[in-house]
Amino acid sequence: MNTTTRINLSAPWIDERDEELVLEVLRSGWLSLGPTGPRFESMLADAVEAPHAAAVSSGTAGLHLCMRLAGVGPGDEVITSPYSFVASANCAIYEGATPVFADIDPRTFNLDPAAVEAAITPRTKALVAVDIFGYPAEYDELIALCDRHGIALVEDSCEALGARYKGRPLGSHGHPAVWAFYPNKQMTTGEGGAVTTGSAEQHELLVSLRNQGRLETSSWLQHGRLGFNYRLDDISAALGIGQLEKLDRILAARGAVAATYGELLADVDVETPLPDDENHVRSWFVYVVKLPSGVDRDAVMARLSEDGVATAPYLPSIHLQSYMR
Ligand SMILES: Cc1ncc(COP(=O)(O)O)c(C=O)c1O
């Protein structure tokens, strides 16, 4: 085993500019609700071509607030993908609703619109579509069926910052999109997330809900509604600014690594990630390969680990998690 080089699943790209920006906030003494948060939000909104961005404390917090935007409550159903991170479904449970899992398309690993339509009942209130492994879901079909059935659409783009659907960035298609900035993501703020939206009204509600239900017009100790503390602090936002400044370079570097894997795996009997087409441009998150059936996955992972290459069994389906069963 080569003990000098370990290839981790992911590592954040932090440089002197990030350090400088974080130090600036630390030295300013304005660590939360200062000017850095809005600067970060405006850069994020530009990056995904959305009119509004609200930074929050995590992607999970963003998804939870989107359940509030959609008016999800006890007795409602929220359709989502079983092949995602648990937060995509947990957000419905937080509001007393039931997640309903529609099947995925085995080609894209994203929701199959026909399966979503088949899962709709009179109780369906919202759909949480996921761009798993950075690959855009089928938004034209999903938007059309949500419109047809009067269902709110939430986009879980936590793994997909920089991806494009039909020529436009995810986040620019009008409905709320949720982003996550944990250090394994394309860019990081430590912990953190955001919700972008095309609606000024939704944005106003998000800003209030994340800040203990304060209203724009109310003073610090007045609360107009039940809210949460889902704020992102200014130290994290400063790191986010540094990350967004080099987002293009980060995405290009990840793309280059993925291309190298593609070349190296060309003669290996595994199914490599679905290539882009004119409607779908992936943002590289994890590089997931499918082994031929009958191959011992754990043995392959153990062998890679001996060589210092980290892997993970992406992705245990949500409906099979013990608490979900
Ligand atoms: C698809 C998806 N949704 C939601 C989340 C939740 O984000 P966070 O960990 O910031 O709460 C993640 C992060 O792992 C994710 O991959």
Side-chain angles (χ1 to χ4, degrees), residues 56-63 83-89 128-133 156-160 178-185 190-194 285 314-315:
V56 289
S57 51
S58 69
T60 304
L63 286 166
Y83 195 67
S84 181
F85 184 67
V86 288
S88 312
V128 178
V130 185
D131 308 303
I132 203 69
F133 307 146
D156 180 345
S157 295
C158 288
E159 299 185 357
V178 182
W179 311 93
F181 308 127
Y182 181 74
N184 71 335
K185 297 299 189 300
E191 294 286 354
F285 174 54
Y314 282 97
L315 195 63

Side-chain angles (χ1 to χ4, degrees), residues 67-118:
M67 294 296 96
R68 286 295 174 100
L69 294 187
V72 168
D76 291 334
E77 293 175 350
V78 177
I79 300 175
T80 191
S81 170
Y83 195 67
S84 181
F85 184 67
V86 288
S88 312
N90 286 350
C91 59
I93 300 175
Y94 297 157
E95 290 300 313
T98 305
V100 173
F101 298 109
D103 213 346
I104 56 167
D105 178 337
R107 225 175 51 92
T108 63
F109 300 130
N110 282 326
L111 279 170
D112 172 357
V116 171
E117 188 133 39

